[in-house]
PDB file of all heavy atoms in Angstrom:
ATOM      1  N   TYR H 433     233.079  96.796 101.946  1.00  0.00           N
ATOM      2  CA  TYR H 433     233.754  98.008 101.625  1.00  0.00           C
ATOM      3  C   TYR H 433     232.868  98.760 100.657  1.00  0.00           C
ATOM      4  O   TYR H 433     232.295  98.169  99.707  1.00  0.00           O
ATOM      5  CB  TYR H 433     235.173  97.831 101.010  1.00  0.00           C
ATOM      6  CG  TYR H 433     236.120  97.233 102.000  1.00  0.00           C
ATOM      7  CD1 TYR H 433     236.432  95.851 101.843  1.00  0.00           C
ATOM      8  CD2 TYR H 433     236.741  97.874 102.973  1.00  0.00           C
ATOM      9  CE1 TYR H 433     237.343  95.271 102.720  1.00  0.00           C
ATOM     10  CE2 TYR H 433     237.669  97.329 103.853  1.00  0.00           C
ATOM     11  CZ  TYR H 433     237.936  95.998 103.718  1.00  0.00           C
ATOM     12  OH  TYR H 433     238.796  95.374 104.590  1.00  0.00           O
ATOM     13  N   ASN H 434     232.760 100.048 100.797  1.00  0.00           N
ATOM     14  CA  ASN H 434     232.133 100.904  99.819  1.00  0.00           C
ATOM     15  C   ASN H 434     232.933 102.211  99.830  1.00  0.00           C
ATOM     16  O   ASN H 434     232.913 102.968 100.808  1.00  0.00           O
ATOM     17  CB  ASN H 434     230.693 101.147 100.153  1.00  0.00           C
ATOM     18  CG  ASN H 434     229.969 101.897  99.021  1.00  0.00           C
ATOM     19  OD1 ASN H 434     230.480 102.759  98.369  1.00  0.00           O
ATOM     20  ND2 ASN H 434     228.699 101.568  98.855  1.00  0.00           N
ATOM     21  N   CYS H 435     233.681 102.501  98.798  1.00  0.00           N
ATOM     22  CA  CYS H 435     234.592 103.625  98.860  1.00  0.00           C
ATOM     23  C   CYS H 435     234.923 104.144  97.479  1.00  0.00           C
ATOM     24  O   CYS H 435     234.711 103.450  96.441  1.00  0.00           O
ATOM     25  CB  CYS H 435     235.940 103.197  99.497  1.00  0.00           C
ATOM     26  SG  CYS H 435     236.612 101.687  98.875  1.00  0.00           S
ATOM     27  N   MET H 436     235.443 105.377  97.402  1.00  0.00           N
ATOM     28  CA  MET H 436     235.775 105.999  96.120  1.00  0.00           C
ATOM     29  C   MET H 436     237.206 106.547  96.255  1.00  0.00           C
ATOM     30  O   MET H 436     237.622 107.083  97.294  1.00  0.00           O
ATOM     31  CB  MET H 436     234.873 107.195  95.814  1.00  0.00           C
ATOM     32  CG  MET H 436     233.533 106.709  95.283  1.00  0.00           C
ATOM     33  SD  MET H 436     232.571 108.209  94.795  1.00  0.00           S
ATOM     34  CE  MET H 436     231.792 108.591  96.330  1.00  0.00           C
ATOM     35  N   TYR H 437     237.963 106.445  95.129  1.00  0.00           N
ATOM     36  CA  TYR H 437     239.336 107.013  95.024  1.00  0.00           C
ATOM     37  C   TYR H 437     239.299 108.174  93.996  1.00  0.00           C
ATOM     38  O   TYR H 437     239.008 107.891  92.825  1.00  0.00           O
ATOM     39  CB  TYR H 437     240.355 105.969  94.696  1.00  0.00           C
ATOM     40  CG  TYR H 437     241.735 106.513  94.737  1.00  0.00           C
ATOM     41  CD1 TYR H 437     242.358 106.804  95.943  1.00  0.00           C
ATOM     42  CD2 TYR H 437     242.516 106.658  93.641  1.00  0.00           C
ATOM     43  CE1 TYR H 437     243.628 107.274  96.017  1.00  0.00           C
ATOM     44  CE2 TYR H 437     243.817 107.075  93.617  1.00  0.00           C
ATOM     45  CZ  TYR H 437     244.380 107.450  94.920  1.00  0.00           C
ATOM     46  OH  TYR H 437     245.677 107.904  94.958  1.00  0.00           O
ATOM     47  N   LEU H 438     239.591 109.385  94.466  1.00  0.00           N
ATOM     48  CA  LEU H 438     239.566 110.518  93.591  1.00  0.00           C
ATOM     49  C   LEU H 438     240.976 110.976  93.351  1.00  0.00           C
ATOM     50  O   LEU H 438     241.724 111.257  94.327  1.00  0.00           O
ATOM     51  CB  LEU H 438     238.732 111.718  94.239  1.00  0.00           C
ATOM     52  CG  LEU H 438     237.186 111.625  94.068  1.00  0.00           C
ATOM     53  CD1 LEU H 438     236.656 110.433  94.708  1.00  0.00           C
ATOM     54  CD2 LEU H 438     236.599 112.900  94.665  1.00  0.00           C
ATOM     55  N   LYS H 439     241.365 111.169  92.076  1.00  0.00           N
ATOM     56  CA  LYS H 439     242.723 111.618  91.724  1.00  0.00           C
ATOM     57  C   LYS H 439     242.782 112.193  90.333  1.00  0.00           C
ATOM     58  O   LYS H 439     242.301 111.571  89.367  1.00  0.00           O
ATOM     59  CB  LYS H 439     243.713 110.436  91.824  1.00  0.00           C
ATOM     60  CG  LYS H 439     245.106 110.744  91.465  1.00  0.00           C
ATOM     61  CD  LYS H 439     245.722 111.624  92.494  1.00  0.00           C
ATOM     62  CE  LYS H 439     247.310 111.841  92.096  1.00  0.00           C
ATOM     63  NZ  LYS H 439     247.946 112.728  93.091  1.00  0.00           N
ATOM     64  N   ASP H 440     243.291 113.442  90.219  1.00  0.00           N
ATOM     65  CA  ASP H 440     243.471 114.082  88.946  1.00  0.00           C
ATOM     66  C   ASP H 440     242.247 114.025  88.018  1.00  0.00           C
ATOM     67  O   ASP H 440     242.317 113.778  86.793  1.00  0.00           O
ATOM     68  CB  ASP H 440     244.663 113.374  88.206  1.00  0.00           C
ATOM     69  CG  ASP H 440     245.992 113.533  88.920  1.00  0.00           C
ATOM     70  OD1 ASP H 440     246.097 114.457  89.700  1.00  0.00           O
ATOM     71  OD2 ASP H 440     246.875 112.690  88.654  1.00  0.00           O
ATOM     72  N   GLY H 441     241.146 114.235  88.602  1.00  0.00           N
ATOM     73  CA  GLY H 441     239.885 114.334  87.817  1.00  0.00           C
ATOM     74  C   GLY H 441     239.222 112.962  87.482  1.00  0.00           C
ATOM     75  O   GLY H 441     238.194 112.911  86.878  1.00  0.00           O
ATOM     76  N   ALA H 442     239.886 111.879  87.928  1.00  0.00           N
ATOM     77  CA  ALA H 442     239.390 110.534  87.677  1.00  0.00           C
ATOM     78  C   ALA H 442     238.911 109.926  89.005  1.00  0.00           C
ATOM     79  O   ALA H 442     239.422 110.233  90.097  1.00  0.00           O
ATOM     80  CB  ALA H 442     240.418 109.656  87.064  1.00  0.00           C
ATOM     81  N   VAL H 443     237.895 109.022  88.912  1.00  0.00           N
ATOM     82  CA  VAL H 443     237.330 108.422  90.129  1.00  0.00           C
ATOM     83  C   VAL H 443     237.233 106.920  89.823  1.00  0.00           C
ATOM     84  O   VAL H 443     236.909 106.481  88.802  1.00  0.00           O
ATOM     85  CB  VAL H 443     235.993 109.002  90.455  1.00  0.00           C
ATOM     86  CG1 VAL H 443     234.973 108.852  89.394  1.00  0.00           C
ATOM     87  CG2 VAL H 443     235.516 108.423  91.808  1.00  0.00           C
ATOM     88  N   SER H 444     237.622 106.162  90.913  1.00  0.00           N
ATOM     89  CA  SER H 444     237.237 104.664  90.928  1.00  0.00           C
ATOM     90  C   SER H 444     236.359 104.440  92.075  1.00  0.00           C
ATOM     91  O   SER H 444     236.637 104.883  93.209  1.00  0.00           O
ATOM     92  CB  SER H 444     238.590 103.900  91.092  1.00  0.00           C
ATOM     93  OG  SER H 444     239.400 104.033  89.935  1.00  0.00           O
ATOM     94  N   TRP H 445     235.255 103.775  91.768  1.00  0.00           N
ATOM     95  CA  TRP H 445     234.177 103.595  92.857  1.00  0.00           C
ATOM     96  C   TRP H 445     234.090 102.066  93.093  1.00  0.00           C
ATOM     97  O   TRP H 445     233.752 101.357  92.168  1.00  0.00           O
ATOM     98  CB  TRP H 445     232.826 104.181  92.369  1.00  0.00           C
ATOM     99  CG  TRP H 445     231.804 104.369  93.396  1.00  0.00           C
ATOM    100  CD1 TRP H 445     231.749 103.749  94.618  1.00  0.00           C
ATOM    101  CD2 TRP H 445     230.705 105.210  93.260  1.00  0.00           C
ATOM    102  NE1 TRP H 445     230.603 104.229  95.248  1.00  0.00           N
ATOM    103  CE2 TRP H 445     229.898 105.074  94.459  1.00  0.00           C
ATOM    104  CE3 TRP H 445     230.197 106.099  92.245  1.00  0.00           C
ATOM    105  CZ2 TRP H 445     228.733 105.733  94.674  1.00  0.00           C
ATOM    106  CZ3 TRP H 445     229.009 106.716  92.399  1.00  0.00           C
ATOM    107  CH2 TRP H 445     228.288 106.550  93.613  1.00  0.00           C
ATOM    108  N   TYR H 446     234.328 101.633  94.303  1.00  0.00           N
ATOM    109  CA  TYR H 446     234.263 100.191  94.656  1.00  0.00           C
ATOM    110  C   TYR H 446     233.140  99.968  95.588  1.00  0.00           C
ATOM    111  O   TYR H 446     232.950 100.666  96.585  1.00  0.00           O
ATOM    112  CB  TYR H 446     235.607  99.752  95.316  1.00  0.00           C
ATOM    113  CG  TYR H 446     236.858 100.071  94.515  1.00  0.00           C
ATOM    114  CD1 TYR H 446     237.467 101.330  94.640  1.00  0.00           C
ATOM    115  CD2 TYR H 446     237.348  99.144  93.626  1.00  0.00           C
ATOM    116  CE1 TYR H 446     238.646 101.531  93.913  1.00  0.00           C
ATOM    117  CE2 TYR H 446     238.481  99.354  92.923  1.00  0.00           C
ATOM    118  CZ  TYR H 446     239.135 100.532  93.014  1.00  0.00           C
ATOM    119  OH  TYR H 446     240.315 100.840  92.347  1.00  0.00           O
ATOM    120  N   GLU H 447     232.365  98.898  95.265  1.00  0.00           N
ATOM    121  CA  GLU H 447     231.311  98.419  96.222  1.00  0.00           C
ATOM    122  C   GLU H 447     231.536  96.893  96.397  1.00  0.00           C
ATOM    123  O   GLU H 447     231.521  96.165  95.402  1.00  0.00           O
ATOM    124  CB  GLU H 447     229.887  98.698  95.708  1.00  0.00           C
ATOM    125  CG  GLU H 447     229.616 100.206  95.670  1.00  0.00           C
ATOM    126  CD  GLU H 447     228.160 100.417  95.225  1.00  0.00           C
ATOM    127  OE1 GLU H 447     227.515  99.575  94.678  1.00  0.00           O
ATOM    128  OE2 GLU H 447     227.634 101.509  95.632  1.00  0.00           O
ATOM    129  N   ILE H 448     231.695  96.489  97.648  1.00  0.00           N
ATOM    130  CA  ILE H 448     231.974  95.041  97.876  1.00  0.00           C
ATOM    131  C   ILE H 448     230.949  94.622  98.909  1.00  0.00           C
ATOM    132  O   ILE H 448     230.894  95.089 100.056  1.00  0.00           O
ATOM    133  CB  ILE H 448     233.391  94.794  98.439  1.00  0.00           C
ATOM    134  CG1 ILE H 448     234.407  95.325  97.383  1.00  0.00           C
ATOM    135  CG2 ILE H 448     233.594  93.307  98.735  1.00  0.00           C
ATOM    136  CD1 ILE H 448     235.876  95.304  97.935  1.00  0.00           C
ATOM    137  N   ASP H 449     230.057  93.678  98.570  1.00  0.00           N
ATOM    138  CA  ASP H 449     229.074  93.158  99.473  1.00  0.00           C
ATOM    139  C   ASP H 449     228.993  91.634  99.154  1.00  0.00           C
ATOM    140  O   ASP H 449     229.803  91.062  98.488  1.00  0.00           O
ATOM    141  CB  ASP H 449     227.700  93.855  99.379  1.00  0.00           C
ATOM    142  CG  ASP H 449     227.016  93.616  98.014  1.00  0.00           C
ATOM    143  OD1 ASP H 449     227.546  92.853  97.223  1.00  0.00           O
ATOM    144  OD2 ASP H 449     226.025  94.221  97.804  1.00  0.00           O
ATOM    145  N   TYR H 450     227.958  90.983  99.798  1.00  0.00           N
ATOM    146  CA  TYR H 450     227.869  89.553  99.739  1.00  0.00           C
ATOM    147  C   TYR H 450     227.708  89.010  98.331  1.00  0.00           C
ATOM    148  O   TYR H 450     227.974  87.808  98.021  1.00  0.00           O
ATOM    149  CB  TYR H 450     226.740  89.012 100.630  1.00  0.00           C
ATOM    150  CG  TYR H 450     225.341  89.452 100.215  1.00  0.00           C
ATOM    151  CD1 TYR H 450     224.636  88.701  99.280  1.00  0.00           C
ATOM    152  CD2 TYR H 450     224.784  90.657 100.732  1.00  0.00           C
ATOM    153  CE1 TYR H 450     223.361  89.140  98.901  1.00  0.00           C
ATOM    154  CE2 TYR H 450     223.520  91.038 100.404  1.00  0.00           C
ATOM    155  CZ  TYR H 450     222.768  90.253  99.471  1.00  0.00           C
ATOM    156  OH  TYR H 450     221.579  90.708  99.066  1.00  0.00           O
ATOM    157  N   THR H 451     227.260  89.858  97.322  1.00  0.00           N
ATOM    158  CA  THR H 451     227.089  89.421  95.982  1.00  0.00           C
ATOM    159  C   THR H 451     228.373  89.504  95.178  1.00  0.00           C
ATOM    160  O   THR H 451     228.390  89.042  94.028  1.00  0.00           O
ATOM    161  CB  THR H 451     225.935  90.257  95.313  1.00  0.00           C
ATOM    162  OG1 THR H 451     226.373  91.608  95.241  1.00  0.00           O
ATOM    163  CG2 THR H 451     224.670  90.078  96.122  1.00  0.00           C
ATOM    164  N   GLY H 452     229.330  90.190  95.666  1.00  0.00           N
ATOM    165  CA  GLY H 452     230.645  90.327  94.887  1.00  0.00           C
ATOM    166  C   GLY H 452     231.219  91.696  94.932  1.00  0.00           C
ATOM    167  O   GLY H 452     230.827  92.589  95.845  1.00  0.00           O
ATOM    168  N   LYS H 453     232.138  91.986  94.033  1.00  0.00           N
ATOM    169  CA  LYS H 453     232.833  93.309  94.031  1.00  0.00           C
ATOM    170  C   LYS H 453     232.514  93.931  92.729  1.00  0.00           C
ATOM    171  O   LYS H 453     232.658  93.343  91.600  1.00  0.00           O
ATOM    172  CB  LYS H 453     234.334  93.056  94.134  1.00  0.00           C
ATOM    173  CG  LYS H 453     235.174  94.333  94.042  1.00  0.00           C
ATOM    174  CD  LYS H 453     236.645  94.055  94.159  1.00  0.00           C
ATOM    175  CE  LYS H 453     237.551  95.241  94.081  1.00  0.00           C
ATOM    176  NZ  LYS H 453     238.971  94.957  94.238  1.00  0.00           N
ATOM    177  N   THR H 454     232.125  95.159  92.742  1.00  0.00           N
ATOM    178  CA  THR H 454     231.916  96.013  91.564  1.00  0.00           C
ATOM    179  C   THR H 454     232.907  97.140  91.558  1.00  0.00           C
ATOM    180  O   THR H 454     233.161  97.764  92.633  1.00  0.00           O
ATOM    181  CB  THR H 454     230.495  96.573  91.385  1.00  0.00           C
ATOM    182  OG1 THR H 454     230.175  97.353  92.535  1.00  0.00           O
ATOM    183  CG2 THR H 454     229.498  95.420  91.385  1.00  0.00           C
ATOM    184  N   GLU H 455     233.462  97.465  90.416  1.00  0.00           N
ATOM    185  CA  GLU H 455     234.358  98.560  90.318  1.00  0.00           C
ATOM    186  C   GLU H 455     233.906  99.405  89.063  1.00  0.00           C
ATOM    187  O   GLU H 455     233.887  98.877  87.951  1.00  0.00           O
ATOM    188  CB  GLU H 455     235.830  98.144  90.097  1.00  0.00           C
ATOM    189  CG  GLU H 455     236.799  99.277  89.878  1.00  0.00           C
ATOM    190  CD  GLU H 455     238.227  98.780  89.704  1.00  0.00           C
ATOM    191  OE1 GLU H 455     238.464  97.583  89.880  1.00  0.00           O
ATOM    192  OE2 GLU H 455     239.111  99.586  89.295  1.00  0.00           O
ATOM    193  N   GLU H 456     233.624 100.632  89.287  1.00  0.00           N
ATOM    194  CA  GLU H 456     233.205 101.566  88.282  1.00  0.00           C
ATOM    195  C   GLU H 456     234.196 102.680  88.199  1.00  0.00           C
ATOM    196  O   GLU H 456     234.671 103.238  89.238  1.00  0.00           O
ATOM    197  CB  GLU H 456     231.807 102.071  88.387  1.00  0.00           C
ATOM    198  CG  GLU H 456     230.762 100.967  88.377  1.00  0.00           C
ATOM    199  CD  GLU H 456     229.341 101.516  88.495  1.00  0.00           C
ATOM    200  OE1 GLU H 456     229.054 102.056  89.567  1.00  0.00           O
ATOM    201  OE2 GLU H 456     228.559 101.330  87.563  1.00  0.00           O
TER     202      GLU H 456
END
Side-chain angles (χ1 to χ4, degrees):
Y433 297 102
N434 188 324
C435 49
M436 285 186 271
Y437 185 69
L438 279 61
K439 178 70 175 178
D440 296 337
V443 61
S444 295
W445 194 342
Y446 304 89
E447 293 186 340
I448 302 169
D449 66 7
Y450 64 88
T451 64
K453 177 179 180 179
T454 60
E455 177 182 351
E456 297 182 298

